Amino acid sequence: SESNCFKIECAQSLNRSYRSYTSHMTENQTYYTNAHIAAYPVEYIAGIDLYNAGEFHAAHDVWEERWMGEVGPDEKLFLQAMIQSAVAFHHLDIGRPGASRQMYQRAKEKFARLGKRVFMSLDLEEYQNQLDTALSWLLSIPDPRDHPIPQIQRPKIRLLAEISEFD
């Protein structure tokens, strides 16, 4: 069934995510701690690993699985913004800068509506600064489809040490 296929894909993503995490640990790059793993949903942590590995569509899938479930309104809005920011990079990767611009704008709007500086240990101001550095060029031209996609530095998600409450 379609649900079982998704569960298999999710398990494969989580397996890749764990391998990605352990490889990051050997490189002395820590994006989160064991305390984060214990405090937050597995989909959130797996999505961070996939996103940081440049697997933006897979990060979207994992976060969306959580978003579609029973979550509070702030977490739902936060996850939607994270999903849309991941999809913005996925669209760039497949040569769709117009769609990337739409997702970037929607993510920015969701983060503004959330109105928090930190959520689930993510410094939203710092993350949005990374997004703006990478994607603001999309808003500075009339039609991004008419311009070559520049080399950009994709954001990395690093959680703050403090565990944040979330709904």
Side-chain angles (χ1 to χ4, degrees):
S1 82
E2 197 170 305
S3 176
N4 284 338
C5 288
F6 181 79
K7 288 177 185 172
I8 290 168
E9 286 176 30
C10 189
Q12 290 169 340
S13 290
L14 290 173
N15 188 25
R16 281 194 309 271
S17 176
Y18 177 75
R19 287 196 312 271
S20 171
Y21 172 70
T22 56
S23 76
H24 288 309
M25 291 300 289
T26 61
E27 296 170 11
N28 253 357
Q29 294 179 324
T30 55
Y31 298 121
Y32 50 79
T33 65
N34 287 335
H36 294 115
I37 295 169
Y40 297 125
V42 67
E43 299 93 341
Y44 178 52
I45 299 297
I48 290 170
D49 283 333
L50 292 164
Y51 184 101
N52 286 342
E55 298 287 337
F56 300 110
H57 193 271
H60 152 273
D61 287 343
V62 173
W63 286 332
E64 188 174 64
E65 178 72 9
R66 172 84 182 158
W67 176 78
M68 290 171 56
E70 293 292 321
V71 297
D74 285 346
E75 185 183 357
K76 195 171 232 20
L77 189 60
F78 169 74
L79 288 170
Q80 194 171 20
M82 295 301 290
I83 289 164
Q84 289 172 336
S85 68
V87 172
F89 289 104
H90 171 68
H91 281 305
L92 270 189
D93 288 346
I94 62 172
R96 299 187 65 217
S100 179
R101 175 164 66 180
Q102 288 180 331
M103 288 296 107
Y104 170 51
Q105 288 174 309
R106 290 177 187 172
K108 285 174 69 70
E109 184 270 331
K110 303 282 184 319
F111 284 127
R113 277 186 24 216
L114 184 61
K116 298 189 184 293
R117 191 182 179 294
V118 175
F119 195 82
M120 294 179 84
S121 297
L122 181 59
D123 181 334
L124 296 178
E125 187 176 306
E126 190 271 335
Y127 177 68
Q128 289 177 84
N129 286 339
Q130 289 188 69
L131 285 179
D132 292 341
T133 297
L135 299 176
S136 63
W137 68 273
L138 291 165
L139 305 179
S140 68
I141 52 180
D143 188 344
R145 295 172 298 179
D146 296 337
H147 295 273
I149 297 171
Q151 288 286 344
I152 58 172
Q153 179 68 42
R154 280 145 170 79
K156 293 294 184 188
I157 298 171
R158 289 179 181 85
L159 299 184
L160 300 172
E162 185 177 328
I163 302 298
S164 317
E165 292 294 316
F166 65 100
D167 57 6

